[in-house]
Amino acid sequence: MTSPPEASALRRTLFSRGYARLLLLSVLLGVPVSLACFFFVGFQHELQHWVWETLPEAAGYDRAPWWWPLPALTLAGLIAAPIITRTPGAGGHIPAHGLGGPPIGPKQLPGVAVCALATLPLGVVLGPEAPLMAVGSALALLSVRIMKATPDPKASLVIATAGSTAAISTILGGPIVASIMVIEAAGLAGAQLVALLLPCLLASATGALVFTGFGDWTGLTIGALSLPTVPPNVSPDAGDFLWGVPAAALIGVVLTTGRGLGLRVLEWTGRRTAVRTVICALAVGGCIAAYALITGRSPAEAALSGQATLGTLAEDPHAWPVSALIALIVCKGVAWGICLGSLRGGPIFPSVLLGAAVGIACAGLPGLGVTPGLALGVAAATAAVTGLPLTAAVLAVLLLGPDAHEQMPLIVVASVTAYLTGQFMTRRSAQAKEA
């Protein structure tokens, strides 16, 4: 609870004329931001469908052949290299650093948008969440300029954050997950937290409403992170916790190792960036092609953000042999790590698929069920990558829907376990560098 002085300061802030204008602006921002994000994600999804389904069929293949990722990812690297090295904003935040960083302004927006739309559909193993947040913050700041408002720097930061929250809420299932992410990531308390949270809630709620309405009206598929079908719900027992805790720790190790690879790749691409960006993109294509050769399955399963593959895996996990899941974890995990340090996009979506794959692969252990494995995998992966265990738990609960009720204790334990594992590995790595 806030102390009386803090409560008094909070009331003065909430009922001030300037803050009322900020709340109204946040509601209004949700509309253009959500519309821009809707068409952004819809267009990206159509390009992805064309590259990985329509074009191979036109070439006479039932599905993309094993070698398909090699030219596709090479092209992605050739497109990304000049954007990263020559445009304002370098194509967006570096995904190895997470979703943090200063807001993207209007000058950086063209490079970010072109880089995301032109490279992510080609198979880059990153998600759309970071580019969407950049679009949201840039449009929010641009709106302030168009209206010739001159808020103080703190208000500008709140407006940019509200725009980013409205954008990311469109693909994370609504405003709740996005707002909780703001709470955890901000690291604030008391009156400061409330003052930041309210504009973000209003902007994201308005944006989610408009986004959903346009989806129903146009019929376009926007590829939000969702699980249309999940395995049957079961009550977790002692076996699920017995195996679930080490499985969550394993997920923390896998994803923290992948992020460590991304940081090493980032250091390597610091010199001769353009050439090495193309080399990294080709290496990603090689990882994806290797998955197709090893398993005989479609390379699209290991490419891209993993949203579609996650839905397929959750719908029929028994159709995936453990060997295919291990190949997916290794090949996609290495490709994800390389992308984190060389290309542009969001780190969360592929990590959720990797966590789910580890959890379901571990479901073959005696006493661990498929549904608990999926639940702990999603939660543990999100916590390990974002460093936000509460956000991870809420996202897992929303993805599993009604089936999450019985899994909540395991979801929370998995989130905390993976988070602590990641923090421990990061600390050990930092200590090793200092020694």
Side-chain angles (χ1 to χ4, degrees), residues 12-385:
R12 287 196 299 270
T13 299
L14 295 180
F15 296 110
S16 66
R17 185 172 300 178
Y19 192 75
R21 288 198 298 267
L22 182 61
L23 292 179
L24 177 60
L25 179 60
S26 299
V27 174
L28 298 177
L29 282 177
V31 177
V33 167
S34 62
L35 289 179
C37 291
F38 177 85
F39 289 107
F40 183 94
V41 178
F43 184 55
Q44 177 192 317
H45 188 271
E46 290 300 314
L47 286 177
Q48 175 181 315
H49 183 272
W50 181 77
V51 171
W52 292 92
E53 296 181 28
T54 304
L55 198 55
E57 291 176 358
Y61 297 99
D62 293 334
R63 65 186 185 193
W66 69 266
W67 51 264
W68 197 262
L70 297 174
L73 269 299
T74 301
L75 178 59
L78 291 171
I79 294 172
I83 296 176
I84 292 172
T85 55
R86 299 184 181 182
T87 63
H93 296 312
I94 298 171
H97 292 159
L99 292 176
I104 295 293
K107 288 184 179 180
Q108 294 80 32
L109 180 58
V112 174
V114 172
C115 190
L117 288 175
T119 63
L120 292 182
L122 291 171
V124 173
V125 186
L126 293 170
E129 63 273 16
L132 280 180
M133 293 179 72
V135 169
S137 67
L139 289 180
L141 294 174
L142 181 62
S143 300
V144 173
R145 292 185 186 180
I146 292 175
M147 292 184 293
K148 298 181 179 180
T150 55
D152 60 71
K154 289 185 178 179
S156 296
L157 180 59
V158 172
I159 290 170
T161 304
S164 297
T165 310
I168 199 171
S169 71
T170 58
I171 56 170
L172 289 183
I176 300 301
V177 176
S179 299
I180 291 175
M181 183 179 292
V182 170
I183 293 174
E184 278 197 291
L188 303 175
Q192 285 182 298
L193 175 58
V194 177
L196 173 63
L197 181 59
L198 294 184
C200 294
L201 276 170
L202 289 174
S204 58
T206 305
L209 179 63
V210 174
F211 200 82
T212 303
F214 258 72
D216 294 338
W217 176 52
T218 62
L220 291 175
T221 303
I222 49 86
L225 188 62
S226 62
L227 297 178
T229 305
V230 296
N233 187 27
V234 293
S235 299
D237 53 25
D240 293 320
F241 282 90
L242 177 65
W243 293 112
V245 171
L250 175 61
I251 292 170
V253 170
V254 169
L255 295 179
T256 305
T257 302
R259 185 170 179 267
L261 172 60
L263 293 172
R264 288 190 288 272
V265 170
L266 175 61
E267 183 178 355
W268 185 71
T269 56
R271 294 181 299 167
R272 302 177 62 192
T273 302
V275 173
R276 292 182 177 183
T277 295
V278 177
I279 293 174
C280 287
L282 180 59
V284 172
C287 292
I288 298 169
Y291 168 80
L293 282 173
I294 293 170
T295 63
R297 302 171 70 96
S298 171
E301 293 176 348
L304 305 163
S305 67
Q307 296 160 257
T309 306
L310 178 64
T312 303
L313 179 61
E315 182 178 7
D316 190 8
H318 298 290
W320 291 70
V322 174
S323 59
L325 290 173
I326 294 174
L328 178 67
I329 294 163
V330 174
C331 295
K332 191 178 184 73
V334 174
W336 175 66
I338 296 172
C339 288
L340 287 177
S342 58
L343 298 169
R344 297 295 183 266
I348 297 178
F349 279 34
S351 69
V352 172
L353 172 59
L354 291 171
V358 173
I360 291 178
C362 292
L365 296 169
L368 180 61
V370 173
T371 303
L374 174 63
L376 73 88
V378 172
T382 307
V385 170

Side-chain angles (χ1 to χ4, degrees), residues 392-417:
V394 174
L395 177 61
V397 168
L398 290 179
L399 283 178
L400 268 71
D403 288 352
H405 178 71
E406 300 290 343
Q407 308 301 326
M408 284 186 190
L410 183 59
I411 286 173
V412 172
V413 170
S415 297
V416 174
T417 301

